[in-house]
């Protein structure tokens, strides 16, 4: 049993889950979405409660919104999945990371950008402009260190927050979080993981995005 409980989150009806066995019960196309590690300057490591869940051969793709700050963090992600995509955050010294990136998986085009370039930070209209520029079905950004997910004009926007809970320019009280996206044809099921009082909480948020030509 995944220990389902219904509730609300970000104004949407969601199902809360226990993390036990959840990854094993998902489909085969899983995307780990995370970012803003800021190691070792603002956080020592990814919480062990998260690391216990993130094991090799379970995840096919990783999207990182940037600010890894160390090569060791990148190497760790490569140990989890062979397909790792990273964009450059404002604290990343690795200049090989692009400012933004578009990756196609299945029927969806994913746009990836750290988000410090967005003014004001996290602004919905500015993010919608970036989504249109990248022609993405799903836009993934970070920088605010706060998890958010919403749909707009049949597109999906997600900010996975900070997986380490590193403080940001906006808040010193950051809840560690990341997301797993389960791709099922024209449907994307997002599982939001957060660490609260030492315990992992998981919310399931279901977004259906029309296939091109369905409108």
């Amino acid at each position: 049993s995944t220990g389902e409980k219904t509730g609300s989150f970000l104004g949407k009806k969601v199902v809360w889950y226990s993390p036990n066995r959840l990854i094993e019960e998902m489909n085969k196309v899983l995307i780990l979405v995370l970012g803003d590690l800021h190691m070792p300057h603002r956080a020592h490591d990814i919480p062990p409660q998260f690391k216990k869940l993130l094991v090799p051969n379970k995840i096919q793709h990783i999207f990182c919104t940037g600010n890894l700050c160390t090569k060791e963090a990148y190497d760790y992600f490569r140990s989890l999945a062979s397909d790792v995509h990273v964009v450059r955050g404002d604290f990343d010294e690795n200049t090989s990371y692009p400012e933004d990136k578009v990756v196609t998986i299945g029927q969806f085009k994913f746009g990836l950008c750290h988000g410090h370039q967005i003014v004001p930070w996290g602004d919905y209209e500015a993010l919608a402009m970036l989504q249109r520029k990248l022609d993405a079905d799903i836009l993934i950004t970070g920088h605010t260190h706060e998890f958010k997910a919403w749909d707009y004009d049949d597109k999906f926007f997600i900010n996975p927050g900070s997986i380490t809970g590193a403080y940001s320019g906006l808040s010193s009280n950051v809840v560690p979080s990341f997301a797993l996206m389960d791709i099922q044809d024209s449907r994307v099921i997002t599982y939001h993981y957060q660490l609260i009082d030492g315990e992992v909480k998981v919310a399931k948020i279901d977004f259906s995005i029309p296939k091109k030509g369905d409108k």
Side-chain angles (χ1 to χ4, degrees):
S1 170
T2 54
E4 298 182 16
K5 293 181 181 179
T6 58
S8 63
F9 181 70
L10 299 174
K12 290 185 176 290
K13 183 180 179 180
V14 299
V15 179
W16 292 94
Y17 287 82
S18 163
N20 295 333
R21 292 184 54 80
L22 187 56
I23 293 178
E24 285 81 355
E25 294 173 8
M26 293 181 194
N27 273 11
K28 295 300 183 183
V29 182
L30 288 182
I31 303 173
L32 173 60
V33 182
L34 50 77
D36 290 302
L37 287 76
H38 288 278
M39 299 191 314
H41 310 98
R42 300 186 190 180
H44 175 66
D45 201 356
I46 295 171
Q49 296 94 328
F50 285 169
K51 279 194 164 183
K52 185 170 66 173
L53 299 172
L54 303 175
V55 295
N57 304 317
K58 298 293 185 183
I59 296 161
Q60 286 68 53
H61 311 276
I62 296 178
F63 290 158
C64 179
T65 61
N67 280 344
L68 285 78
C69 302
T70 65
K71 181 179 181 298
E72 288 76 15
Y74 179 82
D75 291 342
Y76 168 66
F77 296 146
R78 287 281 298 180
S79 76
L80 298 178
S82 59
D83 189 42
V84 179
H85 302 277
V86 181
V87 288
R88 189 179 183 188
D90 48 343
F91 285 88
D92 281 319
E93 296 180 359
N94 188 335
T95 57
S96 69
Y97 298 148
E99 286 285 313
D100 54 54
K101 192 170 189 179
V102 177
V103 181
T104 299
I105 296 176
Q107 301 178 16
F108 296 101
K109 286 177 66 176
F110 293 84
L112 187 60
C113 180
H114 176 248
H116 67 276
Q117 308 91 330
I118 302 297
V119 180
W121 293 345
D123 181 75
Y124 286 12
E125 288 299 323
L127 289 167
M129 288 180 61
L130 176 61
Q131 172 269 315
R132 290 191 292 269
K133 174 188 173 186
L134 299 178
D135 190 28
D137 301 304
I138 299 170
L139 182 67
I140 301 168
T141 57
H143 188 54
T144 64
H145 297 210
E146 180 184 5
F147 179 89
K148 285 189 176 181
W150 69 99
D151 55 346
Y152 174 73
D153 195 23
D154 293 329
K155 308 298 180 184
F156 183 30
F157 297 78
I158 181 170
N159 182 329
S162 167
I163 192 171
T164 60
Y167 70 86
S168 72
L170 301 173
S171 176
S172 60
N173 187 22
V174 175
V175 175
S177 65
F178 69 91
L180 276 173
M181 303 182 77
D182 188 358
I183 307 302
Q184 301 181 8
D185 297 323
S186 61
R187 185 178 171 203
V188 178
I189 302 175
T190 300
Y191 295 88
H192 167 223
Y193 289 71
Q194 54 184 340
L195 186 64
I196 300 176
D197 297 328
E199 185 178 353
V200 178
K201 303 286 188 180
V202 189
K204 174 184 173 183
I205 310 172
D206 195 343
F207 287 90
S208 292
I209 301 177
K211 298 178 184 178
K212 292 178 175 63
D214 279 0
K215 295 182 182 179

